[in-house]
Amino acid sequence: MTPSAVALSQQRTFLRLWRSLAPHLGTDRDLPLRIQRLLGRRAFGARDRRVYRELLYTALRYRPWIEETAARDEARALAAVAWLAADVPALRSFRAATIPDWPPLPAEMAERARHLEVTGELLPAWFRSHCPAAFVPPNLEALHRRAPLWIRLQTDQPDIVAGEFTARGWTWQPSPVWPEAWNVQAEADLTTAAAYREGRIEIQDLGSQLVLASAPIPSGGRWLDACAGAGGKTLQLARLVGGNGQVDAHDIRAAALAELRRRADRAGLANITVLTDAPRRADYDGVLVDAPCSGSGTWRRAPHLKWSTSPADVAAHAARQLALLDRFGGLVRPGALLVYATCSLSRRENQDVVASFLARRPGFAVVPPARAFAGVVDEFGLTLLPAAHDSDGFFVAPLRRAA
């Protein structure tokens, strides 16, 4: 079967885009913005953007394989990308023209895939000591799958959301471990939905939702979300503490807090206060430190981070994380809870940071999670690995201050 003119043009365009990104793959932590700008040109329509974005992110996930193959034969590299990419509608004509015998994988590719999985070459070698579990099935495969689209219900009337999704022809599946999380199994622009505009849903990965679901957070009380960002966990925390509770949200980024305000207003959550200045209270009933991190738990969603993150970056994050725990741990009242979380799978940012904090602040102790969600529990906290529930990877440590 001879590829169509459209498919040939797409193949050439993808290779051109990939070559233009090559000099930046190991250094640019803002690569998604670079890709967005490349695809923002008038030459690309909406469908083209979906095709090239999917192909580029697939190539990033499997970068060692694609680069090695492209150096010998770009046509084989194209076939590998087409085979490895998710089976989404936008790619079906491209795949049919590029590898008409799909889904069977040619023998040489199958052998190379097995080799890469066994050796762990699809992850940075230095990361093996940080998280050995990432290098073996099923987590290795999970870290290289296209991330599913998860939403969090922000309503006590899920039937309204279900009705709209059904009317739009969108399919979904509630998580068996956390029914408030739905896996939307359609190529859906959720921002066009009334449920989104009215604040009934938020786009939030299941693993992110399980961080707070796993912590023993009671209703009521006053909480601080110390590194709130745009507020994904702030909004969830506000629902968990309920109408009798209050959440103060703080971040050093003004733009993120502005987005948080918009989301809180959209959701009609009146129990959130945005703090533009440093928190002044020292008697919070709970403090969440969802710390900035290397993001290794999100490598399938942000595969460029695999290649632009170094051990020195991880060490710098760990130092900052410990400083944040020191700073905000002092705002927890005696007997209350300090929840430390990251979207990293590196023990340097997780268990090691908690151990250092406990050595400096013996008045705190790790408490068991309220629910483990099939995660790995050790003396320092809970690790949620990607394969357990097809989510990003997270770490959470609930720490209680002595009364």
Side-chain angles (χ1 to χ4, degrees):
M1 176 179 177
T2 302
S4 67
V6 171
L8 286 171
S9 175
Q10 289 177 331
Q11 291 170 359
R12 288 192 295 267
T13 300
F14 164 72
L15 288 173
R16 186 175 70 251
L17 290 169
W18 181 245
R19 292 188 202 109
S20 73
L21 293 175
H24 311 286
L25 296 183
T27 58
D28 190 355
R29 292 183 66 82
D30 291 324
L31 198 71
L33 180 59
R34 188 180 294 273
I35 293 173
Q36 182 179 332
R37 287 171 176 164
L38 280 174
L39 298 182
R41 298 170 182 170
R42 290 186 178 181
F44 298 111
R47 183 177 178 83
D48 289 331
R49 292 188 185 98
R50 288 195 295 272
V51 168
Y52 298 126
R53 184 178 295 111
E54 192 65 42
L55 293 173
L56 288 170
Y57 274 81
T58 297
L60 283 169
R61 291 185 189 103
Y62 293 91
R63 179 188 169 194
W65 186 356
I66 303 309
E67 287 183 333
E68 171 192 286
T69 307
R72 293 183 284 104
D73 185 341
E74 284 191 332
R76 300 301 289 170
L78 274 170
V81 173
W83 189 85
L84 291 164
D87 186 16
V88 295
L91 280 185
R92 284 173 187 163
S93 61
F94 176 88
R95 176 181 280 122
T98 306
I99 45 170
D101 56 348
W102 185 86
L105 184 64
E108 69 176 75
M109 289 190 189
E111 181 59 33
R112 186 61 182 141
R114 284 191 293 270
H115 172 77
L116 289 167
E117 288 184 357
V118 169
T119 62
E121 291 177 32
L122 295 175
L123 297 175
W126 60 263
F127 192 66
R128 188 180 293 274
S129 63
H130 293 234
C131 184
F135 286 76
V136 294
N139 292 304
L140 182 63
E141 293 94 337
L143 278 168
H144 292 88
R145 280 197 297 269
R146 182 182 194 248
L149 176 57
W150 288 101
I151 64 170
R152 180 175 56 78
L153 293 178
Q154 201 159 250
T155 176
D156 296 323
Q157 298 175 302
D159 289 349
I160 295 177
V161 179
E164 181 182 7
F165 282 18
T166 298
R168 287 173 170 261
W170 295 347
T171 56
W172 72 94
Q173 183 67 43
S175 165
V177 298
W178 190 244
E180 287 189 4
W182 286 7
N183 180 355
V184 181
Q185 300 163 326
E187 293 291 298
D189 181 359
L190 293 173
T191 63
T192 65
Y196 179 86
R197 296 194 304 271
E198 295 166 2
R200 297 180 186 275
I201 61 171
E202 282 288 333
I203 300 169
Q204 185 179 2
D205 181 76
L206 172 61
S208 176
Q209 296 184 48
L210 296 183
V211 165
L212 289 178
S214 70
I217 298 174
S219 61
R222 192 177 194 101
W223 275 71
L224 170 67
D225 187 352
C227 307
K233 291 188 181 67
T234 309
L235 272 62
Q236 184 184 5
L237 182 58
R239 277 183 57 82
L240 288 172
V241 300
N244 293 324
Q246 176 70 35
V247 178
D248 292 345
H250 169 70
D251 201 279
I252 60 173
R253 296 164 293 176
L257 290 180
E259 175 63 16
L260 191 158
R261 282 194 186 93
R262 287 191 289 270
R263 294 170 76 179
D265 289 344
R266 188 172 67 218
L269 290 169
N271 61 340
I272 295 175
T273 300
V274 174
L275 304 180
T276 54
D277 296 324
R280 300 183 185 277
R281 305 176 67 99
D283 61 347
Y284 281 103
D285 298 299
V287 171
L288 169 65
V289 178
D290 184 20
C293 68
S294 66
S296 53
T298 69
W299 276 350
R300 66 178 180 174
R301 190 181 302 278
H304 67 291
L305 294 179
K306 285 195 291 187
W307 317 118
S308 59
T309 301
S310 69
D313 295 324
V314 172
H317 279 297
R320 185 181 180 193
Q321 291 153 359
L322 182 57
L324 289 170
L325 277 178
D326 274 338
R327 176 186 173 189
F328 293 112
L331 305 186
V332 178
R333 67 166 176 79
L337 205 60
L338 171 64
V339 178
Y340 174 63
T342 74
C343 58
S344 172
L345 291 175
S346 169
R347 67 171 299 108
R348 307 289 191 274
E349 297 177 88
N350 298 336
Q351 289 91 340
D352 291 357
V353 168
V354 173
S356 295
F357 175 73
L358 294 175
R360 294 153 71 113
R361 302 291 291 270
F364 284 84
V366 178
V367 297
R371 293 181 63 184
F373 295 109
V376 179
V377 179
D378 60 29
E379 61 182 310
F380 298 112
L382 166 68
T383 301
L384 297 165
L385 292 165
H389 306 297
D390 201 10
S391 72
D392 291 346
F394 283 85
F395 174 81
V396 56
L399 305 160
R400 192 171 299 281
R401 186 176 182 182

Short mmCIF file of all heavy atoms in Angstrom, two decimals, residues 1-12 47 51 55 75-76 78-83 89-103:
data_model
loop_
_atom_site.label_atom_id
_atom_site.label_comp_id
_atom_site.label_asym_id
_atom_site.label_seq_id
_atom_site.Cartn_x
_atom_site.Cartn_y
_atom_site.Cartn_z
N MET A 1 0.84 -1.19 0.00
CA MET A 1 0.00 0.00 0.00
C MET A 1 0.88 1.25 0.00
O MET A 1 1.77 1.40 0.84
CB MET A 1 -0.90 0.02 1.24
CG MET A 1 -1.75 1.27 1.36
SD MET A 1 -2.80 1.21 2.84
CE MET A 1 -3.57 2.82 2.72
N THR A 2 0.67 2.13 -0.97
CA THR A 2 1.46 3.34 -1.07
C THR A 2 0.84 4.42 -0.19
O THR A 2 -0.37 4.67 -0.28
CB THR A 2 1.50 3.83 -2.52
OG1 THR A 2 2.03 2.79 -3.34
CG2 THR A 2 2.38 5.07 -2.65
N PRO A 3 1.64 5.07 0.66
CA PRO A 3 1.07 6.13 1.51
C PRO A 3 0.46 7.24 0.66
O PRO A 3 0.97 7.60 -0.40
CB PRO A 3 2.29 6.62 2.29
CG PRO A 3 3.27 5.50 2.25
CD PRO A 3 3.06 4.83 0.95
N SER A 4 -0.63 7.81 1.15
CA SER A 4 -1.29 8.90 0.45
C SER A 4 -0.43 10.15 0.52
O SER A 4 0.51 10.26 1.31
CB SER A 4 -2.65 9.17 1.08
OG SER A 4 -2.47 9.69 2.39
N ALA A 5 -0.78 11.13 -0.33
CA ALA A 5 -0.04 12.40 -0.33
C ALA A 5 -0.15 13.08 1.02
O ALA A 5 0.82 13.68 1.51
CB ALA A 5 -0.59 13.30 -1.43
N VAL A 6 -1.33 12.97 1.66
CA VAL A 6 -1.51 13.58 2.97
C VAL A 6 -0.59 12.92 3.99
O VAL A 6 0.09 13.59 4.79
CB VAL A 6 -2.98 13.49 3.43
CG1 VAL A 6 -3.13 13.92 4.88
CG2 VAL A 6 -3.87 14.33 2.53
N ALA A 7 -0.55 11.58 3.99
CA ALA A 7 0.30 10.86 4.94
C ALA A 7 1.76 11.16 4.71
O ALA A 7 2.53 11.35 5.66
CB ALA A 7 0.04 9.36 4.83
N LEU A 8 2.19 11.23 3.43
CA LEU A 8 3.58 11.57 3.14
C LEU A 8 3.93 12.95 3.65
O LEU A 8 5.01 13.18 4.20
CB LEU A 8 3.83 11.47 1.63
CG LEU A 8 3.90 10.06 1.05
CD1 LEU A 8 3.94 10.12 -0.48
CD2 LEU A 8 5.12 9.33 1.58
N SER A 9 3.01 13.89 3.49
CA SER A 9 3.24 15.25 4.00
C SER A 9 3.33 15.25 5.52
O SER A 9 4.19 15.92 6.10
CB SER A 9 2.09 16.16 3.54
OG SER A 9 2.23 17.45 4.11
N GLN A 10 2.46 14.47 6.17
CA GLN A 10 2.51 14.37 7.64
C GLN A 10 3.81 13.75 8.11
O GLN A 10 4.39 14.17 9.10
CB GLN A 10 1.31 13.57 8.14
CG GLN A 10 -0.02 14.29 8.03
CD GLN A 10 -1.17 13.43 8.48
OE1 GLN A 10 -1.14 12.20 8.40
NE2 GLN A 10 -2.22 14.08 8.98
N GLN A 11 4.27 12.72 7.41
CA GLN A 11 5.53 12.08 7.78
C GLN A 11 6.69 13.06 7.69
O GLN A 11 7.52 13.15 8.60
CB GLN A 11 5.77 10.87 6.88
CG GLN A 11 4.82 9.72 7.11
CD GLN A 11 4.94 8.64 6.05
OE1 GLN A 11 5.74 8.77 5.12
NE2 GLN A 11 4.15 7.58 6.18
N ARG A 12 6.75 13.80 6.58
CA ARG A 12 7.82 14.78 6.41
C ARG A 12 7.75 15.87 7.47
O ARG A 12 8.78 16.29 8.02
CB ARG A 12 7.76 15.39 5.00
CG ARG A 12 8.18 14.43 3.89
CD ARG A 12 8.38 15.18 2.58
NE ARG A 12 7.13 15.75 2.09
CZ ARG A 12 6.33 15.15 1.23
NH1 ARG A 12 6.63 13.94 0.76
NH2 ARG A 12 5.21 15.73 0.81
N ARG A 47 -6.80 19.55 13.72
CA ARG A 47 -6.55 18.11 13.59
C ARG A 47 -5.06 17.84 13.44
O ARG A 47 -4.52 16.89 14.03
CB ARG A 47 -7.32 17.55 12.40
CG ARG A 47 -7.16 16.03 12.25
CD ARG A 47 -8.00 15.49 11.09
NE ARG A 47 -7.80 14.06 10.95
CZ ARG A 47 -8.44 13.14 11.65
NH1 ARG A 47 -9.32 13.51 12.57
NH2 ARG A 47 -8.22 11.85 11.44
N VAL A 51 -2.47 15.45 15.74
CA VAL A 51 -1.61 14.40 15.16
C VAL A 51 -0.17 14.60 15.59
O VAL A 51 0.48 13.68 16.12
CB VAL A 51 -1.72 14.40 13.62
CG1 VAL A 51 -0.62 13.52 13.00
CG2 VAL A 51 -3.08 13.91 13.17
N LEU A 55 2.30 12.39 18.15
CA LEU A 55 3.52 11.77 17.63
C LEU A 55 4.77 12.27 18.37
O LEU A 55 5.66 11.49 18.72
CB LEU A 55 3.66 12.05 16.13
CG LEU A 55 2.61 11.40 15.22
CD1 LEU A 55 2.77 11.90 13.79
CD2 LEU A 55 2.69 9.88 15.27
N ALA A 75 12.70 6.09 8.02
CA ALA A 75 11.43 5.41 7.73
C ALA A 75 11.08 4.42 8.82
O ALA A 75 9.91 4.29 9.23
CB ALA A 75 11.50 4.71 6.37
N ARG A 76 12.08 3.69 9.33
CA ARG A 76 11.83 2.76 10.42
C ARG A 76 11.48 3.51 11.70
O ARG A 76 10.67 3.04 12.51
CB ARG A 76 13.05 1.88 10.65
CG ARG A 76 13.46 1.03 9.46
CD ARG A 76 12.36 0.12 9.02
NE ARG A 76 12.11 -0.97 9.96
CZ ARG A 76 11.07 -1.80 9.89
NH1 ARG A 76 10.16 -1.62 8.93
NH2 ARG A 76 10.92 -2.76 10.76
N LEU A 78 9.87 6.34 11.82
CA LEU A 78 8.47 6.72 11.65
C LEU A 78 7.54 5.56 11.97
O LEU A 78 6.52 5.73 12.65
CB LEU A 78 8.22 7.17 10.20
CG LEU A 78 8.49 8.63 9.86
CD1 LEU A 78 8.42 8.82 8.35
CD2 LEU A 78 7.49 9.53 10.56
N ALA A 79 7.90 4.37 11.49
CA ALA A 79 7.08 3.19 11.76
C ALA A 79 7.01 2.90 13.25
O ALA A 79 5.95 2.56 13.78
CB ALA A 79 7.64 1.98 11.01
N ALA A 80 8.15 3.06 13.93
CA ALA A 80 8.17 2.81 15.38
C ALA A 80 7.27 3.80 16.11
O ALA A 80 6.49 3.41 17.00
CB ALA A 80 9.60 2.90 15.91
N VAL A 81 7.35 5.09 15.76
CA VAL A 81 6.50 6.09 16.42
C VAL A 81 5.04 5.79 16.15
O VAL A 81 4.19 5.86 17.05
CB VAL A 81 6.88 7.52 15.95
CG1 VAL A 81 5.89 8.54 16.50
CG2 VAL A 81 8.29 7.87 16.38
N ALA A 82 4.72 5.47 14.90
CA ALA A 82 3.33 5.19 14.56
C ALA A 82 2.81 3.98 15.32
O ALA A 82 1.65 3.95 15.74
CB ALA A 82 3.21 4.94 13.05
N TRP A 83 3.66 2.96 15.51
CA TRP A 83 3.22 1.77 16.24
C TRP A 83 3.07 2.03 17.73
O TRP A 83 2.15 1.53 18.38
CB TRP A 83 4.21 0.63 16.01
CG TRP A 83 3.69 -0.67 16.55
CD1 TRP A 83 2.87 -1.55 15.91
CD2 TRP A 83 3.94 -1.21 17.85
NE1 TRP A 83 2.59 -2.62 16.73
CE2 TRP A 83 3.22 -2.43 17.93
CE3 TRP A 83 4.67 -0.79 18.95
CZ2 TRP A 83 3.25 -3.23 19.06
CZ3 TRP A 83 4.69 -1.59 20.08
CH2 TRP A 83 3.99 -2.79 20.13
N PRO A 89 -8.36 8.51 17.46
CA PRO A 89 -8.93 8.75 16.13
C PRO A 89 -8.06 9.62 15.24
O PRO A 89 -7.93 9.36 14.03
CB PRO A 89 -10.27 9.43 16.45
CG PRO A 89 -10.65 8.90 17.79
CD PRO A 89 -9.36 8.75 18.54
N ALA A 90 -7.43 10.66 15.79
CA ALA A 90 -6.66 11.58 14.97
C ALA A 90 -5.50 10.91 14.25
O ALA A 90 -5.05 11.39 13.20
CB ALA A 90 -6.14 12.74 15.83
N LEU A 91 -5.01 9.79 14.80
CA LEU A 91 -3.82 9.14 14.24
C LEU A 91 -4.12 7.97 13.32
O LEU A 91 -3.20 7.40 12.73
CB LEU A 91 -2.92 8.64 15.38
CG LEU A 91 -2.02 9.65 16.07
CD1 LEU A 91 -1.14 8.94 17.08
CD2 LEU A 91 -1.16 10.39 15.08
N ARG A 92 -5.37 7.59 13.19
CA ARG A 92 -5.67 6.32 12.52
C ARG A 92 -5.30 6.34 11.04
O ARG A 92 -4.76 5.35 10.52
CB ARG A 92 -7.13 5.96 12.73
CG ARG A 92 -7.34 5.43 14.15
CD ARG A 92 -8.78 5.19 14.52
NE ARG A 92 -8.85 4.86 15.95
CZ ARG A 92 -9.95 4.91 16.66
NH1 ARG A 92 -11.10 5.28 16.09
NH2 ARG A 92 -9.93 4.61 17.95
N SER A 93 -5.55 7.43 10.34
CA SER A 93 -5.18 7.45 8.93
C SER A 93 -3.67 7.50 8.76
O SER A 93 -3.11 6.86 7.87
CB SER A 93 -5.85 8.64 8.22
OG SER A 93 -5.42 9.86 8.80
N PHE A 94 -2.98 8.24 9.64
CA PHE A 94 -1.52 8.29 9.59
C PHE A 94 -0.93 6.90 9.84
O PHE A 94 -0.04 6.45 9.12
CB PHE A 94 -1.00 9.28 10.64
CG PHE A 94 0.50 9.35 10.74
CD1 PHE A 94 1.22 10.22 9.94
CD2 PHE A 94 1.20 8.54 11.63
CE1 PHE A 94 2.60 10.30 10.03
CE2 PHE A 94 2.58 8.60 11.72
CZ PHE A 94 3.29 9.48 10.91
N ARG A 95 -1.47 6.21 10.84
CA ARG A 95 -0.95 4.88 11.16
C ARG A 95 -1.23 3.90 10.02
O ARG A 95 -0.37 3.11 9.65
CB ARG A 95 -1.57 4.38 12.45
CG ARG A 95 -1.16 2.96 12.79
CD ARG A 95 -1.81 2.47 14.07
NE ARG A 95 -1.13 2.98 15.24
CZ ARG A 95 -1.69 3.70 16.20
NH1 ARG A 95 -2.96 4.03 16.11
NH2 ARG A 95 -0.99 4.10 17.23
N ALA A 96 -2.44 3.97 9.47
CA ALA A 96 -2.80 3.03 8.40
C ALA A 96 -1.89 3.20 7.19
O ALA A 96 -1.53 2.21 6.52
CB ALA A 96 -4.25 3.24 8.00
N ALA A 97 -1.48 4.43 6.91
CA ALA A 97 -0.61 4.68 5.76
C ALA A 97 0.85 4.36 6.07
O ALA A 97 1.60 3.94 5.19
CB ALA A 97 -0.74 6.13 5.32
N THR A 98 1.25 4.56 7.32
CA THR A 98 2.66 4.38 7.68
C THR A 98 3.00 2.93 7.98
O THR A 98 4.07 2.44 7.61
CB THR A 98 3.01 5.27 8.90
OG1 THR A 98 2.64 6.62 8.62
CG2 THR A 98 4.50 5.22 9.22
N ILE A 99 2.11 2.24 8.68
CA ILE A 99 2.33 0.82 9.01
C ILE A 99 1.03 0.06 8.74
O ILE A 99 0.27 -0.24 9.67
CB ILE A 99 2.80 0.63 10.47
CG1 ILE A 99 1.95 1.50 11.44
CG2 ILE A 99 4.25 0.96 10.63
CD1 ILE A 99 2.21 1.16 12.89
N PRO A 100 0.76 -0.24 7.49
CA PRO A 100 -0.53 -0.88 7.14
C PRO A 100 -0.74 -2.24 7.80
O PRO A 100 -1.87 -2.71 7.87
CB PRO A 100 -0.45 -1.00 5.61
CG PRO A 100 1.00 -0.90 5.29
CD PRO A 100 1.59 0.00 6.31
N ASP A 101 0.34 -2.87 8.30
CA ASP A 101 0.18 -4.17 8.95
C ASP A 101 -0.05 -4.03 10.45
O ASP A 101 -0.04 -5.03 11.17
CB ASP A 101 1.41 -5.05 8.71
CG ASP A 101 2.72 -4.38 9.14
OD1 ASP A 101 2.69 -3.17 9.41
OD2 ASP A 101 3.74 -5.08 9.20
N TRP A 102 -0.25 -2.80 10.95
CA TRP A 102 -0.51 -2.60 12.38
C TRP A 102 -1.79 -3.34 12.77
O TRP A 102 -2.72 -3.37 11.97
CB TRP A 102 -0.67 -1.10 12.64
CG TRP A 102 -0.82 -0.75 14.09
CD1 TRP A 102 0.16 -0.53 14.98
CD2 TRP A 102 -2.06 -0.56 14.79
NE1 TRP A 102 -0.37 -0.23 16.21
CE2 TRP A 102 -1.73 -0.25 16.13
CE3 TRP A 102 -3.41 -0.65 14.45
CZ2 TRP A 102 -2.69 -0.01 17.09
CZ3 TRP A 102 -4.37 -0.42 15.41
CH2 TRP A 102 -4.00 -0.11 16.72
N PRO A 103 -1.91 -3.97 13.95
CA PRO A 103 -1.05 -3.83 15.13
C PRO A 103 0.14 -4.77 15.25
O PRO A 103 0.92 -4.58 16.17
CB PRO A 103 -2.02 -4.08 16.28
CG PRO A 103 -3.02 -5.02 15.74
CD PRO A 103 -3.16 -4.66 14.29
#
